[in-house]
Amino acid sequence: QVQLVESGGGLVQPGGSLRLSCAASGSIFRINAMGWYRQAPGKQRELVAFINSGARTNYADSVKGRFTVSRDVASNSVYLQMNSLNPDDTAVYYCYTDHSTAVGLRQHLWGPGTQVTVSS
């Protein structure tokens, strides 16, 4: 069974920065992509950023130039550096993996979420 553990959320003032971390553990054979989604109150969950096995990245237009997604292959971890945060970034952020298990099963998994609040 695969588990995702997120950390790094919290309260930050507008213009500030936060770094989210997520580590995947369990019966992972290969990670195809990892990334982050977010869901604000009353809104649908949306993709924020992801990075695939070839280190190719993709970002939501609303975060381009402010957020950076990166990974550590050895530890099956993904990070989200968030700069120039504004109140519209307030949401629960969910780590995401697209991975294959040792028995060849492809899975998509979301973590429990970490709250990010941008407020003065």
Side-chain angles (χ1 to χ4, degrees):
Q1 189 171 357
V2 177
Q3 291 185 327
L4 300 178
V5 178
E6 302 146 333
S7 62
L11 173 64
V12 64
Q13 292 186 341
S17 298
L18 280 176
R19 186 174 189 249
L20 304 183
S21 301
C22 174
S25 62
S27 57
I28 297 172
F29 175 72
R30 170 187 169 87
I31 290 183
N32 304 304
M34 292 188 79
W36 298 89
Y37 283 72
R38 69 184 181 185
Q39 187 167 17
K43 295 187 177 180
Q44 289 188 332
R45 189 173 297 189
E46 63 174 355
L47 176 67
V48 176
F50 75 82
I51 182 167
N52 68 13
S53 57
R56 185 172 182 175
T57 58
N58 190 32
Y59 295 92
D61 287 343
S62 59
V63 307
K64 284 180 181 177
R66 300 188 299 122
F67 291 10
T68 302
V69 63
S70 60
R71 65 176 187 173
D72 178 15
V73 175
S75 63
N76 288 336
S77 297
V78 65
Y79 308 96
L80 186 68
Q81 178 66 43
M82 305 184 293
N83 300 326
S84 301
L85 286 161
N86 61 65
D88 289 338
D89 297 315
T90 296
V92 177
Y93 284 70
Y94 299 90
C95 179
Y96 162 80
T97 69
D98 169 1
H99 60 269
S100 300
T101 67
V103 295
L105 182 65
R106 187 166 183 172
Q107 296 179 326
H108 302 266
L109 184 66
W110 280 262
T114 184
Q115 177 70 46
V116 171
T117 302
V118 185
S119 175
S120 56

